């Protein structure tokens, strides 16, 4: 199993748009943190 990187998670989250401003949540500063466990479980914190 390959390890997931924060960059890969950010790339995936870039496909999620804020419905109010119609821009990716990564571009409008909504993603505050990303954690990746040893087993590749991902958790993100947003505003």
């Amino acid at each position: 199993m390959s390890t997931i990187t924060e960059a890969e998670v950010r790339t995936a989250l870039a496909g999620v748009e804020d419905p109010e401003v119609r821009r990716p949540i990564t571009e409008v500063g909504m993603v505050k943190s990303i954690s990746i466990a040893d087993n590749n479980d991902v958790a993100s914190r947003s505003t």
Side-chain angles (χ1 to χ4, degrees):
M1 175 181 354
S2 63
T3 303
I4 296 172
T5 65
E6 184 174 333
E8 291 172 318
V9 174
R10 287 192 180 275
T11 298
L13 290 174
V16 179
E17 280 192 354
D18 178 311
E20 292 180 12
V21 295
R22 300 215 183 275
R23 290 185 52 209
I25 62 171
T26 52
E27 287 184 14
V28 294
M30 292 181 73
V31 178
K32 297 302 179 191
S33 66
I34 295 170
S35 353
I36 304 167
D38 290 339
N39 65 354
N40 282 337
D41 282 350
V42 175
S44 67
R45 178 171 245 171
S46 334
T47 59

